[in-house]
Amino acid sequence: MFSESSRLVYSSVMPEIDKKTIFEFGLSGEVLMENAGRGCVRVLEENIDIFKKKIVIVCGPGNNGGDGFVIGRYLFKKALDLKIVFLSSSKKLPEDALLNYQRAKKLGIEIIEESTSLTKEIQDIIANSDIVIDSIFGTGLKSAPKGVFGETIDFINNSNKYLMAVDLPSGIEGDTGRYLKKAIKANISATFGFAKPAHYIEPGKKNRGKLFVIDIGIPFIVSDKFEENINILTKKYIKTLFKKREPSSHKGSFGHLGIIGGSASKPGAALLCSKAAHRSGAGLVTLCTPFDCDLGSSFNETMKFPVSSENGEFSEQSRNEIKEFVKDKTAIAVGPGMGKGKGAKKIIEFLLKNTRIPILIDADGLNLLSENKELLNYLDKRVILTPHPREMSRISEVSTEEILNDQIKSAKEFAQKYKCTLILKTSSSIIAFPNGKIKINTTGNPGLAAGGSGDVLSGICGAFLANGMSPQAAAEAGVFIHGYSADIISLEKGPFGYLPLETADNLPHIFKELC
């Protein structure tokens, strides 16, 4: 009944899948709607005791409203206290939705309909209910809800009732997860066939509550024709990326990561990166920093490679010394705390133009790319970039607002243009690949919103690169495991206040579970 697929489908594509199912496979829209409505009732029953509860279903003018009428029929058969508020006219309903509206009427379900404003009657019905089912728009909304729809959404959100969203909370854009000014804030959501991007990207993720994906009978022979190459990261998938370590292994078996970073004013970023790399199983880690970057006595397991410095940062001369540094490295992580001086720019330029080593570029390395955009032309499939939205805005020359409004599009277009792997770091990080594929992370929490977290992520991904993972796999595993480690700490210690170093130190416990 419920699907565990990691695949996502754009809400704009789902109607085409439905059409193919109906016209090529012969499964009627009426049957699909029946399966959807019946599945929603099962989800509701499994999450809250509906016995003796007052339930109101708020239906809109499309097929999402039709799903609501089916739900109403099944709940009515259970002799529950049920009402339907229909914020439209039956004249506007599509064929299958109209059929189920008529069936609900014949059963004798009380339907308050053709409401062009939020009347006191509707307010009282919602206020006196225990459970509200949002079947207003689902994934079909393209613009901000107005009039009676917007008023009703506001009233429902302020009613403090248990809310279930059908397909997607009304007011959320299905392909991007963004608010269309106002949106239902549900306790649970039941979607059909496949989850949509909005279920995993904020603020849609926050508004959907606990998510259930209902198998409504769409055959793979149909849905596979619409492969969008977008998936969520799951623990089951991440486990497949790791090989068992043989008893005969030695430090040379797991790669040598070179980290280029740190400066007199920011030595901690490079140190955090190196600690995370060790905790992620790198065989060897060597940290290249300017001579006058004081690393203290921390992290004695990390080898040091000091180079020429100027004013506490990498000097232009350090570029020539980097040539020696990279000779025996299997991967490079560059950027954490390195500054943006001329020497740092020369290093980035050398790495991109004169080496073929897998490279991860983060932090100041990204800022250098944004200030020297000709270097973007030297990116390729061996490179991972890890920008947060502001850094992404600087390197892509797209506003931060535009990036956040469509994170998938922004990441995908950049990765395809420059043929690199890009991790767009948000609350649900987007990983985009040169071939157009997209992965959305499902781990992590607000406790990661602290300086140093990005340096830990770079160390994790860098270690995986050094160990021989492809840039794509290193990005996937790194982002998921970083967030998962933070989730475990959050359960033990609380939602925030733990340190990035604790996230790194917790990694062996995560590998015990995953590897």
Side-chain angles (χ1 to χ4, degrees), residues 93-131:
L93 287 172
E95 182 179 353
D96 294 322
L98 177 60
L99 179 62
N100 282 295
Y101 161 83
Q102 293 168 340
R103 287 171 175 169
K105 291 278 282 188
K106 287 178 181 178
L107 278 177
I109 299 173
E110 184 178 350
I111 302 177
I112 296 86
E113 59 184 298
E114 298 193 43
S115 300
T116 57
S117 63
L118 182 61
T119 64
K120 188 174 185 308
E121 181 185 16
I122 294 174
Q123 292 179 15
D124 288 343
I125 289 171
I126 294 171
N128 292 323
S129 67
D130 301 299
I131 300 169

Side-chain angles (χ1 to χ4, degrees), residues 372-386:
N372 302 276
K373 290 192 172 58
E374 73 280 0
L375 295 179
L376 294 175
N377 297 316
Y378 295 92
L379 299 177
D380 54 38
K381 64 182 180 180
R382 69 194 167 107
V383 178
I384 300 175
L385 302 185
T386 64

Side-chain angles (χ1 to χ4, degrees), residues 333-352:
V334 59
M338 79 182 302
K340 297 188 292 180
K342 292 180 179 179
K345 182 210 167 184
K346 292 284 187 182
I347 290 171
I348 298 290
E349 183 177 24
F350 169 77
L351 292 173
L352 291 176

Side-chain angles (χ1 to χ4, degrees), residues 275-294:
K275 184 60 174 282
H278 284 294
R279 290 297 194 189
S280 300
L284 293 164
V285 179
T286 300
L287 175 54
C288 175
T289 59
F291 266 111
D292 47 4
C293 176
D294 183 9

Side-chain angles (χ1 to χ4, degrees), residues 257-425:
L257 177 65
I259 298 172
I260 305 173
S263 57
S265 62
K266 294 185 287 186
L271 288 170
L272 280 170
C273 185
S274 64
K275 184 60 174 282
H278 284 294
R279 290 297 194 189
S280 300
L284 293 164
V285 179
T286 300
L287 175 54
C288 175
T289 59
F291 266 111
D292 47 4
C293 176
D294 183 9
L295 299 175
S297 59
S298 300
F299 310 161
N300 291 325
E301 55 275 291
T302 304
M303 295 180 285
K304 313 299 191 299
F305 190 100
V307 295
S308 301
S309 61
E310 183 178 355
N311 299 322
E313 296 187 0
F314 291 93
S315 71
E316 291 190 65
Q317 174 63 29
S318 65
R319 175 197 182 279
N320 296 324
E321 298 164 76
I322 290 294
K323 294 179 183 179
E324 185 66 26
F325 174 73
V326 301
K327 282 183 178 179
D328 62 344
K329 305 303 181 295
T330 52
I332 297 291
V334 59
M338 79 182 302
K340 297 188 292 180
K342 292 180 179 179
K345 182 210 167 184
K346 292 284 187 182
I347 290 171
I348 298 290
E349 183 177 24
F350 169 77
L351 292 173
L352 291 176
K353 290 183 178 182
N354 301 104
T355 73
R356 300 308 305 159
I357 307 168
I359 302 171
L360 180 144
I361 304 176
D362 185 27
D364 285 332
L366 296 169
N367 292 325
L368 286 163
L369 288 178
S370 70
E371 294 172 4
N372 302 276
K373 290 192 172 58
E374 73 280 0
L375 295 179
L376 294 175
N377 297 316
Y378 295 92
L379 299 177
D380 54 38
K381 64 182 180 180
R382 69 194 167 107
V383 178
I384 300 175
L385 302 185
T386 64
H388 56 60
R390 286 197 303 277
E391 290 168 335
M392 182 68 183
S393 175
R394 289 194 288 267
I395 62 175
S396 65
E397 296 185 323
V398 176
S399 71
T400 303
E401 181 181 13
E402 189 174 342
I403 289 167
L404 290 173
N405 279 343
D406 199 336
Q407 298 171 40
I408 293 175
K409 178 184 176 184
S410 299
K412 182 177 181 178
E413 288 182 350
F414 188 96
Q416 287 185 303
K417 180 177 181 179
Y418 294 107
K419 298 181 172 43
C420 64
T421 296
L422 184 131
I423 301 170
L424 179 57
K425 296 186 294 192

Side-chain angles (χ1 to χ4, degrees), residues 7 17 20-21 24-25 194 217-226:
R7 177 185 171 189
I17 294 178
K20 286 281 185 182
T21 302
E24 291 189 7
F25 199 75
F194 302 91
I218 296 170
F220 291 123
I221 195 173
V222 172
S223 61
D224 285 352
K225 294 178 181 178
F226 294 85

Side-chain angles (χ1 to χ4, degrees), residues 445-470:
N445 59 75
L448 286 172
S453 288
D455 304 314
V456 170
L457 174 63
S458 293
I460 299 170
C461 294
F464 296 159
L465 274 180
N467 192 23
M469 279 191 182
S470 69

